[in-house]
Amino acid sequence: MMTMTVRQVRSFSAVVALCAIAVTCSKGTTPPADASAGPAGDGSVVKLLKDPAPIADFTVTDIDGRTISSASLRGKVVLVNFWATWCPPCRAEIPDLINLQRKYRDQLVIIGISEDESPVETVRAFAVEQKMNYAIAMTTPELAKVFRGVAALPTTFVIDREGKLAQRHVGLLNAEETELEAQVLAGLNTNARIERVDDPARVRLENAAQATSIPGVDLTKLSPAKRTEAIKALNAADCTCGCGLTLAECRINDPDCSTSLPIARKMVEQIAGTH
């Protein structure tokens, strides 16, 4: 499954390299649990998260100036899709999202959150060219705090009719799996079997909060009290690489991040030097 890191938004060379290999990507490389049964067939299996947690209230203003609040979306299944115009797998899944929005317009709302740094006019022109029939909005720091852990594009959050996170997909969506999820969550398919699974991203974020060590940061020279203070500080400060994570979460999720490392080390040095 092909994905692109959010930091590659800021790296033209990475974009060019990924565009060069995009021709080898194809949609639907991961088959559904029961491909022969199809999205609505008996015996299909849909994987949803254990203990779905409520999504914090949010409001977005789309590129046409319309305001969408999470409260107004209650009662419908919502796909919040983080994407960018330069991202090949994001572009590849647009036709499937268009078809889903058209097919389930009364039960499903799709919101595309653009991570582009280009002007909104550029994103609007792209959306018109692609005939995107769902709302498009530009990313904001507020959205990054609500939808944590967008470290790669595309990333899609599937929200149920009660406003809870039902599933999270990193990478190119599988059209049949996504349609089956929408059908089940909207109450249109009662034949599919639901399998509850852990959310790996949520587990990683929880692990960051409980961490006793941080990759690349030497905490061994600190007293137990200062070590606890440092870990709390790293869990409270946001990384500036664009991942939407705290410094601790970014270091644990992406030890190769060159942005979080010097910031985290400097913060620990400052804590070590205090009395």
Side-chain angles (χ1 to χ4, degrees):
M1 178 178 293
M2 182 179 178
T3 61
M4 303 177 71
T5 62
V6 172
R7 286 194 299 280
Q8 287 167 337
V9 163
R10 297 167 178 81
S11 174
F12 178 77
S13 60
V15 173
V16 172
L18 284 164
C19 287
I21 64 173
V23 294
T24 65
C25 297
S26 60
K27 292 186 291 181
T29 54
T30 303
D34 185 358
S36 62
D42 292 341
S44 296
V45 177
V46 59
K47 295 183 178 181
L48 301 177
L49 300 182
K50 295 178 181 176
D51 304 320
I55 294 288
D57 291 339
F58 64 92
T59 301
V60 299
T61 300
D62 72 11
I63 57 177
D64 294 319
R66 295 170 298 190
T67 299
I68 304 171
S69 68
S70 55
S72 69
L73 301 174
R74 295 290 189 272
K76 293 191 175 184
V77 179
V78 181
L79 302 185
V80 180
N81 174 252
F82 285 81
W83 69 291
T85 59
W86 50 262
C87 163
C90 301
R91 295 166 70 110
E93 69 185 9
I94 287 174
D96 292 329
L97 292 172
I98 291 173
N99 289 335
L100 281 173
Q101 185 64 92
R102 181 186 299 117
K103 190 171 182 179
Y104 300 101
R105 59 182 178 273
D106 294 329
Q107 298 87 16
L108 174 71
V109 174
I110 299 175
I111 304 175
I113 305 298
S114 170
E115 293 279 350
D116 286 273
E117 292 187 334
S118 53
V120 65
E121 291 78 12
T122 302
V123 177
R124 184 184 294 111
F126 178 87
V128 170
E129 178 186 357
Q130 298 295 316
K131 297 182 172 59
M132 298 168 76
N133 60 350
Y134 49 92
I136 303 296
M138 306 301 290
T139 192
T140 64
E142 291 74 23
L143 286 173
K145 290 182 179 179
V146 173
F147 297 98
R148 305 285 300 279
V150 180
L153 298 178
T155 292
T156 303
F157 295 80
V158 182
I159 305 173
D160 67 18
R161 291 181 289 177
E162 297 178 351
K164 297 179 179 180
L165 180 63
Q167 186 54 279
R168 181 200 318 253
H169 298 288
V170 178
L172 182 66
L173 289 172
N174 178 285
E176 290 187 344
E177 289 179 346
T178 307
E179 182 174 3
L180 179 59
E181 288 170 358
Q183 288 178 348
V184 170
L185 293 171
L188 300 176
N189 185 333
T190 58
N191 295 319
R193 179 170 62 85
I194 297 176
E195 180 180 337
R196 293 291 178 178
V197 298
D198 289 318
D199 180 358
R202 183 177 177 182
V203 171
R204 287 194 297 270
L205 297 181
E206 290 174 348
N207 288 343
Q210 301 167 6
T212 56
S213 62
I214 304 295
V217 181
D218 185 7
L219 301 177
T220 59
K221 298 179 181 179
L222 300 179
S223 67
K226 284 191 177 291
R227 187 181 305 117
T228 299
E229 180 184 351
I231 291 174
K232 286 183 177 180
L234 293 171
N235 271 290
D238 291 332
C239 182
T240 59
C241 75
C243 63
L245 302 174
T246 66
L247 287 171
E249 292 165 350
C250 185
R251 295 303 309 148
I252 290 174
N253 283 279
D254 185 8
D256 295 327
C257 177
S258 59
T259 300
S260 62
L261 184 58
I263 299 174
R265 284 178 173 173
K266 183 176 181 180
M267 180 176 292
V268 171
E269 288 175 1
Q270 291 174 338
I271 293 173
T274 59
H275 297 289

